[in-house]
């Protein structure tokens, strides 16, 4: 099965900094998803993107569906300690119910 | 509030034991999934079910089987647990509508000794 290339693998930042992470694929996806996993919990959906070029915000989070359909980006502005966790991108191809996940970006925010 | 519930948060089993991981969803979703999460490897699909009694293999089905006798319940079975099956197991469900996405349970951390 295909895995997405998600980077960076981990980030250590100071509170208040902005964060950027991205995901690339060799295949085209019709849907891009971003999930956050808090320590010891299951992933929770943050943002879903359904159109190429789409830019969607959820509070301090902004995600974009790349024009080529092969990439997506997630930005977090003014990070706070509760942003700590693992962020996963996922993509779905046309007609598939099954999301394929990236390997995750582990975010640590220092107060 | 939507819910996917996994029967155990933590399990410790012995090598060779038969292990059942249970997952129940209350959203009347058609699709259910079992993923395995390992550090640095992300979430890998073990099995997928799109209806009662229907199942499809994911990327890493070896050593696992599944059962879906009722719509709300999807069980993952380790026929003979091995130490390399020590991992975090995540169950998820989704609707058949294409713009509804997977909801995850809280995970079961399985240790095989």
């Amino acid at each position: 099965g295909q895995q997405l290339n998600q980077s960076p693998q981990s980030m250590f930042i100071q509170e208040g900094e902005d964060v950027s992470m991205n995901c690339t694929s060799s295949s085209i996806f019709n849907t891009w998803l971003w999930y956050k996993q808090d320590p010891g919990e299951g992933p929770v959906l943050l943002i879903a993107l359904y159109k190429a070029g789409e830019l969607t915000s959820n509070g301090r989070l902004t995600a974009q569906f790349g024009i080529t359909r092969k990439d997506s980006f997630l930005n977090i502005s003014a990070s706070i300690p509760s942003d700590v966790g693992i962020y996963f991108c996922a993509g779905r191809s046309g007609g598939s119910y099954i999301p394929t996940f990236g390997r995750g970006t582990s975010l640590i925010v220092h107060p | 509030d939507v819910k996917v519930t996994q029967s155990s948060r933590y399990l410790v089993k012995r090598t060779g034991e038969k292990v059942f991981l249970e997952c129940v969803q209350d959203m009347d979703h058609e699709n259910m999934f079992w993923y395995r999460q390992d550090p640095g490897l992300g979430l890998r699909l073990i099995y997928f079910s799109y209806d009662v009694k229907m199942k499809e293999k994911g990327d890493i089905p070896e050593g696992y089987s599944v059962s879906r006798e009722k719509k709300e319940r999807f069980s993952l079975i380790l026929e003979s647990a091995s130490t390399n099956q020590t991992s975090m197991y995540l169950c998820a469900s989704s609707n058949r509508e294409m713009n509804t996405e997977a909801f995850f349970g809280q995970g079961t951390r399985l240790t095989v000794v």
Side-chain angles (χ1 to χ4, degrees), chain A residues 35 37 40 50 92 97 99, chain B residues 9 35 37 96 98 101-102:
Chain A
Y35 284 83
Q37 183 180 33
Y50 299 108
R92 278 200 295 112
Y97 299 118
Chain B
R9 291 293 294 262
Y35 286 90
Q37 181 181 10
R96 220 174 259 166
M98 291 309 290
E101 306 306 333

Side-chain angles (χ1 to χ4, degrees), chain B:
Chain B
D1 207 12
V2 296
K3 258 207 152 158
V4 177
T5 304
Q6 294 182 230
S7 54
S8 303
R9 291 293 294 262
Y10 301 95
L11 273 180
V12 180
K13 296 292 181 181
R14 295 194 180 279
T15 301
E17 275 193 76
K18 189 169 186 176
V19 181
F20 293 85
L21 302 184
E22 306 286 348
C23 176
V24 176
Q25 50 96 3
D26 65 0
M27 296 166 282
D28 201 35
H29 283 170
E30 292 88 0
N31 304 324
M32 295 190 76
F33 312 81
W34 275 105
Y35 286 90
R36 171 177 170 160
Q37 181 181 10
D38 298 290
L41 297 180
L43 276 63
R44 295 179 292 167
L45 182 68
I46 305 172
Y47 267 97
F48 162 62
S49 170
Y50 55 91
D51 205 344
V52 175
K53 297 191 186 295
M54 307 304 290
K55 61 185 179 185
E56 287 188 10
K57 292 180 180 179
D59 299 322
I60 52 164
E62 296 79 18
Y64 304 96
S65 62
V66 289
S67 173
R68 184 118 182 249
E69 296 296 318
K70 293 185 178 181
K71 190 176 185 180
E72 67 270 20
R73 186 179 296 270
F74 192 33
S75 302
L76 180 69
I77 304 156
L78 287 66
E79 295 290 341
S80 178
S82 63
T83 55
N84 63 13
Q85 292 178 308
T86 292
S87 188
M88 170 74 114
Y89 290 88
L90 291 162
C91 174
S93 71
S94 71
N95 200 309
R96 220 174 259 166
E97 297 296 322
M98 291 309 290
N99 283 8
T100 60
E101 306 306 333
F103 287 90
F104 281 86
Q106 76 278 26
T108 296
R109 186 163 292 282
L110 173 67
T111 302
V112 182
V113 298

